[in-house]
């Protein structure tokens, strides 16, 4: 091959290259829209108006973004330990079971807001437990976590399908879903909270879980860069062999990281199951666990980047729904295409533009002053 | 005799359900044996199924559909190859991207062209692959035991099915008895040694990626032009991942891959057969348990509780030439 890459200036590394990558993903997406006979610029306009044009759109956008922050953080924390957790989808799904079981059966014992709090914790616990199995098998039995988490997504789907169709379903109901939860256990939605203050916000599923998501993002940042455990996680991610010499047990770090990842995935249950649906429904995760992969890659596994990427994907999901309504040819599958292209360019091909960008910068900086 | 007939029916349907698994599993085997991990089988299967059905809709001929399906799948395979080989990408990330793009793009284009929610129009019989009756299937069919086995299990499949089964010995021979196969396996274990011998690691890996694309494209074509008569969004329904599980379960070897795919296909047929049936004392059969079995078995095997599945040593690791 050719000469080794010159190090880029820090600003190019942190901001320019990721922006170029994401821009490439959106450029190709624009070509796809063009190819199916629609105008990409008009599509972008409709999408942004649909997502951010009014308070209702913004509410839905932030509601989706809340889920994406959780699934993005879940994927990212594993990235730091050098693990690829493709099982966030299944972990969030099983987390819904934990939240639902508490809401359905412990409602009588837990007064007021304590029900929602215990349900959120149960969701996190179930998510963590479901992630712990692949984590343990990776740490102790050397079973590759990519394969085991893929398999566990299907195991989760079969398990939850069985429970929702044959065990938890409301008798006489056609839909595979649990009965509704007691309403005092709902995570409050913002339009309810703002009403007493005299602020009118249209009815949207945007709920308090958003603040929990932001808190978790801050927590992950503090954990990864400000604690001993975070240092151990990054050390194992960078070089497990060297970490052993530093007195770190990679097996222990892998298990703890997957537990945390599963618990973060469980945050999605708080947002969707406790904040909006108030019952557990079949396949409620709807692929949001996979969106987390795109969010984590786009946000460069940094919580601040993840929050921004999650909001962008919130815009895409909400705006995409409105867009599909106006332009039936651009169905919601377009969003999955964009998501895939973001993973391709920001993840798999992240170094593709490095050389051209480096060449461009080098030419600019070496130009003689006139 | 009734039990035997039921067995023939379930086994026959298991055999048909195993065909896309066998093709995709062998595809993954070629790729991973060369050191390129491929979790994008699912996506390429969808692309093959879509391109096959879409082109067959216009030409009314299954063979052009097959060519289109295979070509489209190879193209996607080459993107994965470019990312993995030339860009030294994380192959899991690349595979994930391919699965997402394929899932979205096939549904998007299908919906944009035919406006049926992503489904392609029902294909006429002439645009599909048909069952072939082997010689004497009718006359020999009356013979007890062997007759039905010959007539329903061995005869009466389409050309893609026979090809899929023929591919197993072919793959075995090519991998273990040819120079190309030896080099390909070596490149998945120790690419530096292959490079030292003056053989191009890059060319070997690209050829493996292309073979993978051809085979998994065929499995997609089988879905839309033999099993069904149309393309439907998400119609691969996890088969690419079951094939991946089968590959791990078979420890990356061709004959065990065939056996595992047949087992998984049979389990699938069984769960369809037992759907809604009530067993005395147990109640309705939890078919989900049977559906989850391939995945659980694979995890148990990976964890080393029954034997040990060791992937090719260099799989997933980009090869960097020493300077």
């Amino acid at each position: 091959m050719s000469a080794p890459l010159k190090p880029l200036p820090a600003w190019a590394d942190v901001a320019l290259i990721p922006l170029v990558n994401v821009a490439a993903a959106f450029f190709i997406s624009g070509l796809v829209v063009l190819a199916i006979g629609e105008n990409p610029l008009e599509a972008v306009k409709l999408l942004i108006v649909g997502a951010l044009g009014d308070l209702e759109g913004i509410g839905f956008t932030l509601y989706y973004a809340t889920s994406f922050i959780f699934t993005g953080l879940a994927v990212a924390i594993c990235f730091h330990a050098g693990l690829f957790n493709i099982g966030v989808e299944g972990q969030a799904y099983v987390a819904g079971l934990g939240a639902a079981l508490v809401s359905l059966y412990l409602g009588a014992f837990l007064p007021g807001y304590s029900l929602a709090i215990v349900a959120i914790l149960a969701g996190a616990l179930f998510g963590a437990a479901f992630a712990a199995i692949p984590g343990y098998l990776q740490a102790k039995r050397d079973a590759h976590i990519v394969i085991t988490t893929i398999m566990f997504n299907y195991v989760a789907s079969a398990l939850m399908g069985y429970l929702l169709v044959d065990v938890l379903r409301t008798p006489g109901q056609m839909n595979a879903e649990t009965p509704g939860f007691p309403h005092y256990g709902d995570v409050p939605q913002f339009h309810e909270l703002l009403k007493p203050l005299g602020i009118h916000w249209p009815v949207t599923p945007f709920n308090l879980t958003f603040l929990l998501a932001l808190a978790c993002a801050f927590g992950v940042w503090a954990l990864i860069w400000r604690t001993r455990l975070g240092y151990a996680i990054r050390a194992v991610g960078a070089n497990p062999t060297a970490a052993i010499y530093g007195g770190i047990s990679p097996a222990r770090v892998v298990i703890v990281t997957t537990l945390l990842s599963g618990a973060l995935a469980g945050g999605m249950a708080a947002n969707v199951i406790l904040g909006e649906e108030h019952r557990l429904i079949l396949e409620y995760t709807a692929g949001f666990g996979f969106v987390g992969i795109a969010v984590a890659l786009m946000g460069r596994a940094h919580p601040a980047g993840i929050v921004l990427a999650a909001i962008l994907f919130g815009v895409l999901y909400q705006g995409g729904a409105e867009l599909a309504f106006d332009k039936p040819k651009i169905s919601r599958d377009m969003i999955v295409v964009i998501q895939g292209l973001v993973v391709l360019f920001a993840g798999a091909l992240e170094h593709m533009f490095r050389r051209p960008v480096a060449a461009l910068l080098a030419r600019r900086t070496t130009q003689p002053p006139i | 005799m009734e039990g035997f007939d039921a067995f023939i029916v379930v086994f026959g349907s298991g055999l048909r359900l195993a065909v896309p698994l066998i093709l995709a599993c062998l595809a993954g085997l070629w790729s991973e044996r060369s050191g390129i991990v491929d979790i994008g089988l699912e996506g390429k299967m969808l692309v093959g199924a879509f391109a096959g059905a879409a082109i067959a809709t216009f030409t009314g001929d299954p063979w052009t559909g097959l060519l289109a399906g295979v070509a489209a799948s190879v193209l996607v395979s080459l993107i994965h190859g470019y990312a993995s080989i030339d860009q030294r990408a994380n192959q899991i990330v690349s595979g994930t991207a391919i699965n997402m793009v394929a899932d979205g793009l096939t549904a998007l284009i299908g919906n944009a062209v035919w406006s049926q929610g992503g489904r392609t129009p029902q294909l006429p019989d002439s645009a599909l692959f048909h069952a072939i009756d082997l010689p004497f299937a009718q006359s020999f069919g009356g013979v007890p035991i062997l007759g039905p086995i010959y007539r329903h299990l061995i005869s009466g499949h389409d050309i893609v099915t026979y090809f899929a089964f023929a591919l197993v010995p072919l793959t075995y021979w090519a991998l273990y008895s040819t120079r190309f196969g030896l080099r390909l396996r070596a490149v998945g274990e120790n690419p530096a040694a292959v490079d030292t011998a003056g053989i191009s690691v890059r060319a070997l890996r690209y050829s493996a990626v292309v073979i993978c694309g051809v085979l998994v494209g065929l499995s997609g074509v089988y879905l839309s032009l033999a099993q069904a008569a149309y393309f439907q969004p998400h119609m691969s329904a996890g088969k690419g991942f079951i094939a991946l599980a089968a590959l791990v379960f078979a420890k990356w070897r061709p004959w065990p891959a065939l056996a595992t795919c047949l087992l998984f296909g049979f389990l699938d047929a069984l769960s369809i057969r037992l759907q809604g049936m009530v067993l005395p004392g147990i109640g309705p059969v939890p078919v989900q348990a049977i559906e989850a079995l391939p995945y659980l078995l694979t995890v148990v095997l990976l964890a080393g509780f029954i034997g040990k599945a060791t992937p090719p040593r260099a799989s997933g690791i980009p090869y960097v030439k020493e300077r």
Side-chain angles (χ1 to χ4, degrees):
Chain A
M1 302 277 288
S2 41
L5 295 175
K6 257 201 209 150
L8 284 171
W11 64 269
D13 219 24
V14 174
L16 185 62
I17 296 276
L19 276 180
V20 170
N21 287 337
V22 172
F26 280 96
F27 180 72
I28 305 277
S29 308
L31 294 184
V32 170
V33 172
L34 210 58
I36 59 174
E38 294 286 353
N39 181 346
L41 292 178
E42 201 189 331
V44 170
K45 203 181 121 204
L46 282 171
L47 195 141
I48 291 178
V49 169
L52 304 171
D54 52 20
L55 284 177
E56 194 185 355
I58 293 174
F60 272 96
T61 295
L62 291 176
Y63 165 67
Y64 292 131
T66 307
S67 290
F68 297 149
I69 293 174
F70 282 116
T71 55
L73 288 173
V75 175
I77 196 168
C78 277
F79 276 168
H80 284 288
L83 302 167
F84 199 143
N85 178 4
I86 306 192
V88 172
E89 179 82 3
Q91 289 144 21
Y93 198 6
V94 172
L97 178 67
L101 289 179
V102 167
S103 303
L104 286 173
Y105 299 113
L106 298 182
F109 309 104
L110 296 165
Y113 282 128
S114 69
L115 177 60
I117 292 167
V118 175
I120 291 172
L121 290 175
L125 190 72
F126 271 55
F130 200 67
I133 307 166
Y136 171 83
L137 293 177
Q138 166 79 53
K140 299 285 187 187
R141 313 280 316 190
D142 210 20
H144 206 295
I145 196 162
V146 168
I147 306 283
T148 50
T149 50
I150 290 175
M151 301 298 132
F152 265 52
N153 281 335
Y154 287 93
V155 173
S157 174
L159 173 74
M160 299 294 285
Y162 168 69
L163 290 175
L164 282 171
V165 173
D166 292 331
V167 183
L168 295 171
R169 176 160 56 163
T170 325
Q173 261 274 350
M174 268 306 287
N175 295 339
E177 58 186 44
T178 64
F181 303 157
H183 270 289
Y184 64 91
D186 296 352
V187 174
Q189 298 182 336
F190 276 106
H191 66 88
E192 295 162 359
L193 290 172
L194 294 176
K195 204 182 280 170
L197 305 177
I199 303 171
H200 178 73
W201 186 292
V203 178
T204 69
F206 180 38
N207 62 74
L208 265 187
T209 318
F210 181 67
L211 299 182
L212 179 66
L214 292 182
C216 283
F218 178 78
V220 168
W221 172 81
L223 171 81
I224 296 285
W225 282 284
R226 289 291 181 273
T227 67
R228 189 184 286 256
L229 175 63
Y231 179 77
I233 289 174
R234 282 181 294 134
V236 169
N239 189 338
T241 323
I244 296 172
Y245 286 104
I248 294 165
S249 153
R252 194 180 141 264
V253 168
V254 164
I255 293 174
V256 171
T257 311
T258 44
L259 280 172
L260 290 171
S261 175
L264 286 167
M268 190 182 158
N271 187 40
V272 178
I273 294 300
L274 300 171
E276 162 65 2
E277 299 292 347
H278 312 310
R279 70 215 144 96
L280 184 58
I281 47 184
L282 201 64
E283 305 291 345
Y284 92 86
T285 42
F288 281 28
F290 297 113
V291 181
I293 298 172
V295 168
L297 286 170
M298 192 167 166
R300 310 271 289 171
H302 190 288
I306 287 168
V307 171
L308 289 177
I311 291 173
L312 179 78
F313 271 95
V315 167
L316 287 176
Y317 266 73
Q318 167 56 17
E322 298 285 321
L323 179 61
F325 190 75
D326 285 333
K327 301 260 175 205
K329 266 189 167 184
I330 312 177
S331 59
R332 295 186 77 169
D333 304 300
M334 186 66 220
I335 307 307
V336 182
V337 176
I338 297 178
Q339 174 190 324
L341 289 170
V342 166
V343 174
L344 186 68
F345 283 99
L349 300 176
E350 61 174 331
H351 300 308
M352 193 164 72
F353 297 112
R354 185 169 282 265
R355 193 178 299 274
V357 167
L360 209 68
L361 288 179
R363 198 161 46 177
R364 260 195 46 207
T365 48
T366 52
Q367 254 170 15
I370 303 166
Chain B
M1 259 339 253
E2 205 167 280
F4 179 71
D5 284 346
F7 168 79
I8 291 281
V9 169
V10 172
F11 204 85
S13 108
L15 208 125
R16 280 184 288 277
L17 290 167
V19 173
L21 300 183
I22 294 168
L23 287 164
C25 187
L26 289 177
L29 192 144
W30 275 99
S31 180
E32 302 213 347
R33 267 306 178 93
S34 83
I36 306 291
V37 166
D38 196 350
I39 68 162
L41 294 173
E42 176 85 3
K44 279 179 281 208
M45 204 188 272
L46 272 176
V47 167
F50 175 73
I55 296 302
T57 305
F58 290 117
T59 62
D61 164 50
W63 290 102
T64 44
L66 185 143
L67 277 180
V70 166
S73 162
V74 167
L75 194 72
V76 178
S77 234
L78 284 173
I79 297 176
H80 183 58
Y82 173 71
S84 313
I85 301 165
D86 288 333
Q87 289 292 326
R88 298 175 205 158
N90 181 326
Q91 297 165 15
I92 305 294
V93 174
S94 170
T96 306
I98 281 168
N99 285 335
M100 289 175 179
V101 173
D103 190 53
L105 204 57
T106 50
L108 180 78
I109 300 176
N111 181 57
V113 176
W114 290 283
S115 314
Q116 296 176 14
R119 221 183 108 143
T120 65
Q122 183 87 18
L123 288 160
D125 261 5
S126 59
L128 302 173
F129 288 104
H130 289 288
I132 303 165
D133 272 327
L134 295 183
F136 314 116
Q138 294 298 330
S139 52
F140 191 63
V143 178
I145 311 288
L146 289 179
I149 289 182
Y150 181 71
R151 188 172 165 190
H152 297 294
L153 291 187
I154 297 176
S155 168
H157 297 292
D158 55 84
I159 186 91
V160 183
T161 304
Y162 290 116
F163 184 64
F165 279 87
L167 266 171
V168 179
L170 200 68
T171 296
Y172 182 80
W173 170 78
L175 270 182
Y176 293 96
S177 308
T178 67
R179 182 188 302 202
F180 173 67
L182 175 69
R183 289 174 173 178
L184 193 107
R185 282 182 293 127
V187 93
E189 299 288 338
N190 191 344
V194 176
D195 200 13
T196 312
I199 303 158
S200 166
V201 173
R202 190 165 169 269
L204 274 169
R205 287 192 167 169
Y206 263 112
S207 42
V209 162
V210 169
I211 296 172
C212 166
V214 171
L215 299 187
V216 74
L218 274 179
S219 77
V221 168
Y222 179 83
L223 290 183
S224 62
L225 296 183
Q227 219 167 55
Y230 48 81
F231 169 85
Q232 198 176 3
H234 329 298
M235 80 185 296
S236 53
K239 287 192 176 62
F241 290 114
I242 296 208
L244 196 68
L247 180 61
V248 175
F249 201 80
K251 303 178 184 176
W252 292 269
R253 292 170 303 163
W255 286 109
L258 173 68
T260 311
C261 290
L262 283 173
L263 172 71
F264 289 178
F266 184 68
L267 285 173
D268 198 3
L270 198 66
S271 76
I272 294 170
R273 174 91 182 172
L274 295 179
Q275 188 98 47
M277 267 169 69
V278 177
L279 289 184
I282 300 177
V285 182
V287 286
Q288 292 92 348
I290 306 175
E291 282 166 14
L293 208 55
Y295 305 111
L296 284 172
L297 281 174
T298 304
V299 170
V300 169
L301 181 88
L302 259 184
F305 293 118
I306 40 168
K308 185 82 195 131
T310 315
R313 202 143 52 95
S315 70
I317 308 163
Y319 177 63
V320 185
K321 223 177 169 67
E322 272 184 66
R323 275 178 238 281

